[in-house]
């Protein structure tokens, strides 16, 4: 399975405490160890760097992200993301602009979203977005 990992999961992974990691971080670790496809995009890196203000932490993130393939949105992705967002809004579900774009990248590249953000649960219920969930099945 190829995964697109959202900021919420990367942030948890980088902020690990002594407690047990959440299921999304465990899934990320397993994917990285197994050499599965793990993807991201520039806005996720930017969000992470904005959340970690210490230079040493930022350097660690930049260094580790150098090995993660980046997806660059194309004009079509922005157009389709707007359609996704508008379709959700017509059904009474508000989705952040960036979340719509990330969902579109997943749909376009046939990636499964790995996130803790509940907006993606709504998106997966209303769109072709595949969302990883702990347990027996993906939300489709």
């Amino acid at each position: 399975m190829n995964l697109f990992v959202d900021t919420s999961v990367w942030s948890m992974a980088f902020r690990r405490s002594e407690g047990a990691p959440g299921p999304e971080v465990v899934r990320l670790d397993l994917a990285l160890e197994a050499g599965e496809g793990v993807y991201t995009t520039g806005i996720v890196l930017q969000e992470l760097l904005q959340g970690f203000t210490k230079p040493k932490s930022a350097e660690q993130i930049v260094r580790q992200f150098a090995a993660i393939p980046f997806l660059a949105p194309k004009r079509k992705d922005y157009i389709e993301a707007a359609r996704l967002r508008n379709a959700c809004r017509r059904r009474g579900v508000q989705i952040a602009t960036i979340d719509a774009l990330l969902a579109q990248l997943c749909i376009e590249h046939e990636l499964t979203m790995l996130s803790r953000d509940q907006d993606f649960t709504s998106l997966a219920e209303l769109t072709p977005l595949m969302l990883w969930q702990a347990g027996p099945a993906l939300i489709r």
Side-chain angles (χ1 to χ4, degrees), residues 82-97:
R83 287 184 180 147
L84 284 176
R85 188 170 183 271
N86 290 342
C88 288
R89 187 174 52 205
R90 280 192 298 275
R91 296 179 77 183
V93 176
Q94 293 296 321
I95 302 297
T97 299

Side-chain angles (χ1 to χ4, degrees), residues 19-47:
E24 296 85 2
V25 173
V26 170
R27 180 65 183 96
L28 172 59
D29 288 344
L30 290 172
L32 291 170
E33 289 170 10
E36 292 180 47
V38 174
Y39 297 83
T40 194
T41 194
I43 194 68
V44 171
L45 176 59
Q46 180 181 342
E47 287 178 330

Side-chain angles (χ1 to χ4, degrees), residues 1 3 112-113 124 129-140:
M1 172 184 315
L3 298 173
T112 299
M113 172 64 75
L129 176 67
M130 293 182 292
L131 179 65
W132 183 88
Q133 285 200 315
L138 297 174
I139 292 180
R140 277 203 133 215

Side-chain angles (χ1 to χ4, degrees), residues 36-96:
E36 292 180 47
V38 174
Y39 297 83
T40 194
T41 194
I43 194 68
V44 171
L45 176 59
Q46 180 181 342
E47 287 178 330
L48 275 173
L49 292 172
Q50 290 170 178
F52 289 84
T53 57
K54 295 179 183 173
K56 189 172 183 177
S57 297
E59 289 172 14
Q60 176 190 12
I61 291 167
V62 170
R63 192 170 44 256
Q64 290 183 348
F65 261 61
I68 305 294
F70 263 50
L71 301 175
K74 297 180 172 107
R75 180 185 307 260
K76 173 187 171 195
D77 293 313
Y78 293 103
I79 293 166
E80 293 302 318
R83 287 184 180 147
L84 284 176
R85 188 170 183 271
N86 290 342
C88 288
R89 187 174 52 205
R90 280 192 298 275
R91 296 179 77 183
V93 176
Q94 293 296 321
I95 302 297

